[in-house]
């Protein structure tokens, strides 16, 4: 279901698929850059089956594409429209280089301008956005092309492996790579397995940390390996068949869409509070604070928090509830600037998405649209009792104190920098701050800020 590829196959003109190692790739964190490389490695042979090939070029997008157009005589650049500001700036730069650009839908269920309030403004609250999106017809998924017209002579291509997109992951790269499922075939298989085995119980199981009942499709959606429209229609069909978990899952897809629209309308979402009243809140912005180091090292002394952060180190992903809890601990319990956490996730998450990452951090911090109020401070103990009652999730990821820790827990020590000198035989650390004291401190800071 790729509108660009579908149109290209039907146009009858030669098609040259291009992957650019450009300024957008340079801006990626270590984990998403590696995962993008894995996506390309899966995509190239899929193109070969269509009689095509992937051309890899390096350099700024406008210069690289202008040079390729001169070499090949290509008359147009076709791309899938993305909502993030860098992608939009690149599109404008390519046009300014004298190339004709045609942008296609496909990354979203609806164009941002198509979902608006009665006054024509973007939604700032999720529930009415969800209702409007649910009433929108995204169209039916398109069939895959059987063949792509090839040029008479293929241009030269750099070797994907020479880009070394995994290099910044250092020694943790192979561990994280083993937990990825790149490519369309795996994405479709993952969707089918989720529909068959997990969707009915999704509403309850999605918050059971040990069960991990999510779809795990976020990584595939982030790299365009499956379309949101295909997932939406599959869940809609299950809903019509009476699946009790389908609506909850559809709302999660709608939240992804909500974040994309929010970024399109607010390009500074990753950098500035959407509510400008929060601009002067006294978060700690020091990059060298001991509390921040403990959080990054997954040694806060709060077992559930550390388990979530270690899952991230080993797999490149984190359970959604753990993303909320670890973010709340950083920007509320520890009073550290949410943007520091946003950048850390952007470097660590293999399913990183600029819009979802920014909106979720602003939601937790209380600074964004339809955000959780600041006084909602997640309690690690309460979250553990509610969502990891047996402790199975914590045992899966915390080696300290276990006589025979599982491989998942031990893998953390192979993933983190060796310079940290961490060992599974180390004693588990005491809390960097008592969570109840952290909550009291956060609420006191909020009261002082509110009364300015």
């Amino acid at each position: 279901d790729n509108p660009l590829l579908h149109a290209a196959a039907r146009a009858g003109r030669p098609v040259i698929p291009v992957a650019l190692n450009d300024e957008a790739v340079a801006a990626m964190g270590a984990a998403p850059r590696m995962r993008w490389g894995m996506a390309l490695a899966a995509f190239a042979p899929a193109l070969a089956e269509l009689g095509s090939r992937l051309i890899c070029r390096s350099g700024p997008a406008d210069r690289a594409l202008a040079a390729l157009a001169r070499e090949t005589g290509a008359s147009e650049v076709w791309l899938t429209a993305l909502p993030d500001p860098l992608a939009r700036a690149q599109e404008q730069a390519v046009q300014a280089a004298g190339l004709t650009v045609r942008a296609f839908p496909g990354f979203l269920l609806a164009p941002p301008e198509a979902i608006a309030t009665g006054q024509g403004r973007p939604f700032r609250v999720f529930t009415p956005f969800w209702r409007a999106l649910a009433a929108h017809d995204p169209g039916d998924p398109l069939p895959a092309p059987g063949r792509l017209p090839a040029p008479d002579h293929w241009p030269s291509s750099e070797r994907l492996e020479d880009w070394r997109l995994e290099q910044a992951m250092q020694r943790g790269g192979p561990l994280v790579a083993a937990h990825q499922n790149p490519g369309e075939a795996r994405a479709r298989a993952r969707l089918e397995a989720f529909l068959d085995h997990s969707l009915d119980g999704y509403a309850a199981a999605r918050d059971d940390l040990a069960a991990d009942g999510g779809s795990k499709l976020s990584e595939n959606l982030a790299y365009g390996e499956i379309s949101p429209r295909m997932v939406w229609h599959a869940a809609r069909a299950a809903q019509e068949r009476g699946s009790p978990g389908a609506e909850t899952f559809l709302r999660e897809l709608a939240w992804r869409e909500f974040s994309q629209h929010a970024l399109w309308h607010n390009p500074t979402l990753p950098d500035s509070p959407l509510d400008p009243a929060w601009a002067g809140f006294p978060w700690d912005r020091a990059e060298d604070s001991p509390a921040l180091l403990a959080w990054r090292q997954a040694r806060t002394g709060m077992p559930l928090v550390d388990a979530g952060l270690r899952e991230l180190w080993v797999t490149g992903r984190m359970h959604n509830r753990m993303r909320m809890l670890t973010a709340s601990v950083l920007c509320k319990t520890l009073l550290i600037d949410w943007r520091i956490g946003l950048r850390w996730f952007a470097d660590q998450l293999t399913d990183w998405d600029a819009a979802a990452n920014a909106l979720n951090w602003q939601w937790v911090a209380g600074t964004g649209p339809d955000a959780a109020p600041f006084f909602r401070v997640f309690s690690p103990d309460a979250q553990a009792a509610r969502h990891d009652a047996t402790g199975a999730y914590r045992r899966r990821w915390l080696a300290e104190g276990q006589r025979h820790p599982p491989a998942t827990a031990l893998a953390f020590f192979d993933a983190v920098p060796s310079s940290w000198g961490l060992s599974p035989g180390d004693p588990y650390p005491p809390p960097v701050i008592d969570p109840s004291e952290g909550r009291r401190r956060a609420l006191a800071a909020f009261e002082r800020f509110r009364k300015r």
Side-chain angles (χ1 to χ4, degrees):
D1 180 32
N2 188 316
L4 184 159
L5 207 60
H6 182 78
R10 292 167 63 90
R13 288 181 283 164
V15 178
I16 302 173
V18 185
L20 293 178
N21 187 3
D22 58 12
E23 58 270 42
V25 179
M28 283 183 180
R33 191 182 305 131
M34 181 189 74
R35 179 57 178 80
W36 182 65
M38 297 175 72
L40 293 180
F43 187 45
L47 284 173
E49 293 179 3
L50 302 180
S52 188
R53 65 178 66 172
L54 184 65
I55 301 302
C56 297
R57 293 290 179 97
S58 296
D62 53 347
R63 297 179 193 173
L65 290 174
L68 190 57
R70 288 193 299 270
E71 291 175 33
T72 61
S75 60
E76 294 182 330
V77 173
W78 288 10
L79 52 85
T80 296
L82 300 176
D84 68 273
L86 179 53
R88 293 163 69 182
Q90 285 182 302
E91 182 179 340
Q92 293 170 358
V94 172
Q95 288 177 318
L99 297 169
T100 299
V101 176
R102 184 176 174 188
F104 287 79
F107 191 69
L108 303 176
L109 289 166
E113 62 272 15
I115 307 296
T117 67
Q119 293 74 40
R121 292 192 288 268
F123 286 100
R124 291 179 66 94
V125 178
F126 173 71
T127 299
F129 175 91
W130 152 249
R131 289 196 292 262
L133 183 67
H136 174 80
D137 180 10
D140 293 327
L142 296 166
R147 194 156 190 83
L148 286 178
D152 292 335
H153 303 285
W154 283 101
S156 63
S157 175
E158 299 168 15
R159 296 190 339 144
L160 176 60
E161 53 267 34
D162 289 342
W163 287 356
R164 302 197 63 186
L165 296 170
E166 76 290 347
Q167 186 173 20
M169 287 294 290
Q170 300 180 19
R171 69 178 192 146
L175 282 168
V176 173
H179 291 271
Q180 308 309 305
N181 281 273
E184 181 184 0
R186 289 186 174 188
R188 291 175 68 113
R190 174 176 271 172
L191 173 61
E192 291 170 8
F194 174 71
L195 294 171
D196 290 344
H197 306 296
S198 303
L199 180 61
D200 286 354
Y202 176 76
R206 71 190 185 112
D207 279 330
D208 184 336
L209 295 173
D212 197 10
S215 72
K216 298 187 179 69
L217 286 166
S218 56
E219 77 172 279
N220 306 110
L221 287 165
Y223 300 97
E225 294 168 335
I226 196 167
S227 75
R229 184 163 60 179
M230 182 175 289
V231 181
W232 179 268
H233 276 285
R236 279 286 205 192
Q239 184 182 36
E240 292 172 3
R241 294 193 298 269
S243 172
E247 180 171 341
T248 303
F249 181 65
L250 286 165
R251 287 177 69 94
E252 293 301 309
L253 285 174
W255 181 263
R256 173 189 183 269
E257 191 85 1
F258 186 50
S259 72
Q260 304 294 335
H261 288 216
L263 181 60
W264 193 87
H265 291 294
N266 306 278
T268 62
L269 192 67
D271 307 305
S272 304
L274 195 60
D275 182 350
W278 283 91
F281 188 79
W283 272 295
D284 183 357
R285 295 178 173 84
E287 290 279 357
D288 59 352
S289 74
L292 176 58
L293 178 61
W295 186 85
R296 285 173 169 165
Q297 289 185 336
R299 287 176 58 81
T300 66
M302 305 173 203
L304 189 62
V305 174
D306 292 341
L309 292 166
R310 293 185 189 195
E311 179 187 13
L312 177 58
W313 270 107
V314 174
T315 70
R317 297 191 305 270
M318 189 193 294
H319 192 286
N320 187 60
R321 178 150 295 277
M322 294 308 306
R323 299 185 197 207
M324 292 189 291
L325 174 59
T326 56
S328 177
V329 165
L330 184 78
C331 63
K332 293 181 178 177
T333 308
L334 301 178
L335 279 179
I336 292 173
D337 196 308
W338 57 271
R339 284 159 288 208
I340 293 176
L342 177 149
R343 291 192 292 270
W344 183 255
F345 274 21
D347 196 52
Q348 298 278 99
L349 285 169
T350 54
D351 65 355
W352 172 79
D353 174 291
N357 194 39
L359 189 73
N360 288 344
W361 273 97
Q362 291 225 33
W363 184 87
V364 173
T367 62
D370 200 11
F374 187 85
F375 56 77
R376 184 185 180 190
V377 181
F378 280 71
S379 162
D381 291 340
Q383 292 292 308
R386 191 173 300 131
H387 303 296
D388 187 35
T390 68
Y393 178 79
R394 281 163 286 177
R395 289 192 296 274
R396 184 181 302 162
W397 296 111
L398 299 178
E400 296 95 327
Q402 293 196 65
R403 179 174 294 180
H404 301 292
T408 47
L410 293 173
F412 165 73
F413 299 92
D414 294 323
V416 298
S418 56
S419 61
W420 285 355
L422 301 182
S423 165
D426 294 339
Y428 187 67
V432 291
I433 189 173
D434 180 85
S436 59
E437 170 59 20
R439 182 178 189 277
R440 186 203 63 76
R441 187 180 65 168
L443 296 181
F446 175 64
E447 282 300 308
R448 291 192 298 271
F449 177 71
R450 191 171 61 87
K451 292 177 180 179
R452 289 184 313 168

